[in-house]
């Protein structure tokens, strides 16, 4: 069930990045075959296994060429924001549709469907909250770069060289979980409540 949820969550996230990039003028995601909901196209083997077994992982990033956008910094922000927003929307749709679906399901199916929905909703929210950390290479850094003055955005882009190492340290040390858990609870409460 967790594997199916991971496939769905990652596919929605990466498809949203690709769809918004194409909509804003960059055809590269479409040419690369990333404008699809087929989860296997978006998988990074190591990242997916890490996510399944350790709760931290990644998908294959959608390659985007910001020079194809009318306003590269602003449009890159929208592309980055698309993934987390898609995850929150999917979680919201699942949370709101479950009671109606549950009324239609026979009892033997109800437990499995409820568990799948719970796992998928949690994963969607966690992925969205985690990705909004303003640390490269996460989506939050690109969103922040689209908001702050150019000179700060430039410094943020330069941090990308070290971002992955910093991010791994924060995850392994447990700091990410402690920092993000309150945000996760708030978003979860808004989506499910």
């Amino acid at each position: 069930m967790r594997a199916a949820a991971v496939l769905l969550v990652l596919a929605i996230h990466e498809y949203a990045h690709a769809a918004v990039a194409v909509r804003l003028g960059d055809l590269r995601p479409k040419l690369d075959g990333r404008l699809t909901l087929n989860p296997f196209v978006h998988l990074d083997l190591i990242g997916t296994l890490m996510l399944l077994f350790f709760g931290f992982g990644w998908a294959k990033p959608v390659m985007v060429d910001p020079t194809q956008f009318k306003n590269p910094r602003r449009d890159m922000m929208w592309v980055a924001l698309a993934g987390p927003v898609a995850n929150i929307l999917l979680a919201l749709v699942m949370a709101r549709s479950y009671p109606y679906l549950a009324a239609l399901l026979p009892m033997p199916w109800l437990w499995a469907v409820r568990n799948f929905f719970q796992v998928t909703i949690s994963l969607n929210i966690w992925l969205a909250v985690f990705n909004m950390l303003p640390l490269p290479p996460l989506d939050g850094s690109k969103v922040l770069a689209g908001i702050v003055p150019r000179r700060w955005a430039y410094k943020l882009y330069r941090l990308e060289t070290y971002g992955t190492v910093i991010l791994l340290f924060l995850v392994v040390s447990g700091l990410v979980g402690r920092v993000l858990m309150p945000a996760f609870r708030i978003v979860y409460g808004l989506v499910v409540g």
Side-chain angles (χ1 to χ4, degrees), residues 10-20 34-37 42 62 86:
L10 292 179
I12 290 292
H13 185 94
E14 296 305 326
Y15 171 80
H17 286 314
V20 171
R34 300 300 298 280
L35 194 60
T36 179
L37 287 171
H42 301 293
V62 171

Side-chain angles (χ1 to χ4, degrees), residues 50 54-58 126 130 133 135 163-180:
M50 294 278 293
F54 300 107
F56 168 75
W58 55 90
W126 184 253
F130 177 75
L133 275 173
L135 183 66
T164 304
V165 174
I166 295 168
L167 188 59
L168 283 172
F169 169 75
L170 293 174
V171 169
V172 170
S173 69
L175 288 172
V176 165
R178 280 184 253 147
V179 168
L180 293 183

Side-chain angles (χ1 to χ4, degrees), residues 18-78:
V20 171
V22 169
R23 178 85 172 116
L24 291 173
D26 179 17
L27 295 179
R28 181 169 180 185
K30 185 175 184 178
L31 298 173
D32 288 346
R34 300 300 298 280
L35 194 60
T36 179
L37 287 171
N38 177 351
F40 299 104
V41 171
H42 301 293
L43 291 184
D44 177 276
L45 179 62
I46 302 298
T48 304
L49 291 173
M50 294 278 293
L51 188 59
L52 281 171
F53 295 111
F54 300 107
F56 168 75
W58 55 90
K60 190 182 341 172
V62 171
M63 300 310 292
V64 175
D65 181 2
T67 64
Q68 299 300 309
F69 299 142
K70 288 180 184 171
N71 183 332
R73 199 161 68 104
R74 184 203 61 206
D75 292 349
M76 207 46 219
M77 176 186 73
W78 292 120

